[in-house]
Amino acid sequence: MPANRRRGEIAAIIAGRDCVLCLTLGALAELETAFGVDDLGALAERFASGRLSARDLTRIIAAGLRGAGAAVSDDDVAGMTVEGGVAGFARIVADLLKATFGDSGETRPDP
């Protein structure tokens, strides 16, 4: 199934497989809880800082995969690989955040 950017979906190759990721409303609520913030504005600000840990990248990618219907845990994602290593994961997160929040130029984590 190809990704539909109009629905906030992106395509990525994770663990050698074509994947679709989407931060649905439920996935965003999950991330609000994980990051300890009260609303989407605070969540967007957290992402805009560009200071995301490896665990943050794992949480965001896992939530995006679950939002698109995959049955994966954060621990499953932590054991996966992508081309480019950590920088590859950061690019996937940046693309997913751009698809979700728009391109304000502030939601890109440093690779």
Side-chain angles (χ1 to χ4, degrees), residues 42-69:
L43 189 64
E45 285 178 26
R46 171 78 164 81
F47 296 153
S49 75
R51 298 177 51 107
L52 299 175
S53 68
R55 185 70 184 156
D56 295 343
L57 297 179
T58 299
R59 286 178 173 158
I60 295 166
I61 290 172
L65 287 168
R66 286 190 292 270

Side-chain angles (χ1 to χ4, degrees), residues 90-106:
R91 279 190 293 277
I92 292 168
V93 167
D95 194 25
L96 183 57
L97 294 177
K98 179 180 173 184
T100 303
F101 293 104
D103 188 14
S104 67
E106 299 174 359

